[in-house]
Amino acid sequence: MTRAYSLLSGLSRQGLAANRALCKTGVAALGATGLILAGCADQSGSSGTGAVIAPATQATSHKVGVLLPLSGNNAALGHELLAGVQLALGGAGLPPDLQLDVHDTAAIGGAASATSAALQAGDGILLGPLTSGDTAVAAPAAQAAGIPVMAFTSDITQGRPGVWVMGITPEEQVQQLVAQAKRDGRQHFAALLPDNALGHAMGNGLISACRDQGLAAPAVAYHNGTADSIAQTLRQLSNYDARVAAVKQAMPATPVPGATTTRGNSSEVTGLTELPKLAQLPASLAAALGQDPNQPPAPTVQPGQASDGASALVAPAGPQITLGAPPFDALLLADIGLGLKNVLDALVVTQVNMPDVRIMGPGLWASFASKLGAIKGAWYAAPDPTSRQAFVSRFMARNHHMPKPLADMSYDAATAALTVARSGVPGYPAESLTRPGGFAGVDGTFTLLPDGRVRRALGVFEVMGNGSDARMISAPMQAKAGTSG
């Protein structure tokens, strides 16, 4: 089964309470499926309020500072990340001055004190912190000291020159999806997204991806999470009322005996005005077309059956009423759980169907792709799970448990630091960290871009339905520096 990755780095006010519960109970890791929300917003107040003290001179050693929550609510995640770092730096042939300097961002003073201690110790690079909030605290002092930061958040807003966001961001996933959809001939994109941090990250990613790839600006709409908000938002986004009006205008008010359509089939006219038995239209569409959604279907008596209609309802051969296509041929979603169920219900009501519209979603879907049969053919972007096997074997041999996906990120960050240290340059200069060839990571090649983004090799997966795992339809391509998507 494919994996979901660290995707959500901060939460809007609407989702904050839910995220607190997830992170406190450990559900945020969802160990059974490998889903990690690496960028849980800082909730413990551990960032501290004191000023971070930076040394007067920049460290030029290869000492590696590690900033992680090793106590408190996120201690388990912190220790998992530390295990990834230790695995990467635990082999033979290390540069003599490469040492680990570990600091607890959940201790007294929070991320501010941990960062000050690391800088005063002369660390040449900082791996961490975990959260978006802690990264916002640590990054300014590290930048002032000329010390690079490889943060384990996936909040792209924390990325800047000298501060890299190591999590697989929603924006990066959307870039891959749009590129694949464009190759598939899709030209008009839209998004129906939750009004929270993940939704806005996906929406911003879609706007950027369409711009970068020369496509028309997408239509992006946000809902507040309720079934009614989802239904109304999709109704507007899909031009539902106009599509219903077009069908209503094209059909007679009442069936005319003997009347025919352009294809000469009189039953088609009846089919547009009389709903098929046992398959009536949604109430909103029935009302718009002048039908009575509350009127029960008339029973049809079959030969040899009782005339009371019991067990005698059948669907006539007449065609279903079909609306025209919506004004887009690719739709991006970001919901999971109950929100996704409500979205799928709204897709049925508004007749936003595949293959006319390609449904795309977040890498979070990887953890339950076998249960998404209702949107068979939908896509999401994620790493190729087969590329992780060697790392899993090494991690299990050392730590005696399966690694959580967060450990991939810390291993990758430590691998990049080790590679630069072995090159013999003093410290960790930006030109070495942003080398065009990138670095060999757990899930494939990754490249650090000068602006703080990280490009990773992601594949595009298609939901197969029938309880089957998703199928990779586009293999990951080597990530290259300087590319926007």
Side-chain angles (χ1 to χ4, degrees):
M1 178 180 290
T2 55
R3 299 179 296 109
Y5 219 80
S6 52
L7 306 170
L8 182 57
S9 56
L11 295 176
S12 65
R13 287 174 294 180
Q14 294 94 327
L16 183 55
N19 193 62
R20 282 176 176 161
L22 288 175
C23 290
K24 288 182 179 179
T25 61
V27 178
L30 292 182
T33 59
L35 170 61
I36 298 275
L37 302 183
C40 292
D42 182 36
Q43 301 151 11
S44 63
S46 64
S47 297
T49 57
V52 178
I53 302 173
T57 58
Q58 176 181 339
T60 58
S61 76
H62 292 137
K63 198 172 181 181
V64 176
V66 180
L67 307 180
L68 291 171
L70 301 177
S71 60
N73 293 332
N74 288 328
L77 300 181
H79 284 282
E80 190 79 354
L81 284 157
L82 181 58
V85 171
Q86 292 170 333
L87 181 62
L89 303 181
L94 296 180
D97 62 342
L98 197 157
Q99 305 172 22
L100 277 182
D101 180 37
V102 181
H103 300 273
D104 183 4
T105 57
I108 295 174
S113 294
T115 304
S116 291
L119 297 181
Q120 289 296 320
D123 295 343
I125 191 170
L126 300 183
L127 308 186
L130 169 63
T131 68
S132 176
D134 282 354
T135 302
V137 171
Q143 286 183 287
I147 304 301
V149 177
M150 302 179 75
F152 301 135
T153 179
S154 56
D155 181 2
I156 193 63
T157 64
Q158 295 300 327
R160 66 202 76 168
V163 181
W164 286 275
V165 173
M166 294 301 293
I168 296 181
T169 66
E171 291 86 351
E172 186 174 2
Q173 297 170 54
V174 175
Q175 286 278 359
Q176 298 288 339
L177 291 171
V178 170
Q180 180 66 27
K182 183 179 178 182
R183 290 191 291 269
D184 192 45
R186 310 289 168 164
Q187 295 292 321
H188 304 287
F189 290 75
L192 175 67
L193 304 167
D195 187 12
N196 59 26
L198 175 59
H200 283 274
M202 297 283 281
N204 293 337
L206 182 61
I207 293 170
S208 298
C210 289
R211 181 185 64 243
D212 294 345
Q213 300 185 39
L215 297 164
V220 180
Y222 298 94
H223 62 79
N224 66 18
T226 67
D228 182 66
S229 174
I230 290 171
Q232 291 302 319
T233 303
L234 183 56
R235 180 172 182 148
Q236 296 173 9
L237 185 67
S238 66
N239 281 356
Y240 176 78
D241 291 342
R243 292 157 61 212
V244 169
V247 172
K248 190 173 182 180
Q249 184 177 10
M251 60 185 252
T254 57
V256 179
T260 63
T261 64
T262 55
R263 292 189 295 176
N265 186 347
S266 59
S267 67
E268 292 181 4
V269 176
T270 302
L272 285 176
T273 56
E274 292 184 1
L275 302 182
K277 306 299 184 291
L278 299 183
Q280 289 188 306
L281 296 178
S284 57
L285 179 53
L289 292 174
Q291 306 287 349
D292 181 1
N294 297 315
Q295 182 177 354
T300 300
V301 180
Q302 296 298 306
Q305 293 186 332
S307 60
D308 60 2
S311 303
L313 296 180
V314 298
Q320 296 274 356
I321 296 177
T322 302
L323 301 182
F328 48 81
D329 53 17
L331 178 65
L332 180 67
L333 307 176
D335 280 281
I336 59 174
L338 179 60
L340 180 57
K341 176 188 179 299
N342 290 333
V343 168
L344 299 185
D345 290 343
L347 292 176
V348 173
V349 171
T350 56
Q351 292 193 20
V352 176
N353 305 317
M354 289 185 287
D356 293 337
V357 176
R358 175 68 65 185
I359 303 298
M360 306 180 298
L364 291 168
W365 286 1
S367 62
F368 51 91
S370 62
K371 300 179 181 179
L372 291 175
I375 47 174
K376 178 181 179 181
W379 291 350
Y380 62 85
D384 178 2
T386 62
S387 63
R388 192 178 185 242
Q389 294 174 354
F391 167 75
V392 169
S393 297
R394 290 183 58 208
F395 188 97
M396 289 184 67
R398 181 184 178 106
N399 299 285
H400 310 294
H401 70 269
M402 282 285 291
K404 295 180 174 66
L406 276 181
D408 301 22
M409 284 194 299
S410 59
Y411 182 93
D412 286 354
T415 296
L418 176 58
T419 302
V420 172
R422 280 176 169 166
S423 71
V425 299
Y428 298 90
E431 55 268 25
S432 297
L433 290 169
T434 58
R435 64 182 196 169
F439 303 92
V442 171
D443 299 299
T445 303
F446 67 95
T447 304
L448 308 181
L449 304 185
D451 61 2
R453 291 178 298 162
V454 178
R455 282 287 169 258
R456 294 182 179 273
L458 299 180
V460 174
F461 293 79
E462 181 173 319
V463 174
M464 301 304 296
N466 299 320
S468 301
D469 289 340
R471 175 177 63 95
M472 187 166 64
I473 62 171
S474 175
M477 298 179 63
Q478 179 171 331
K480 298 180 180 179
T483 60
S484 59

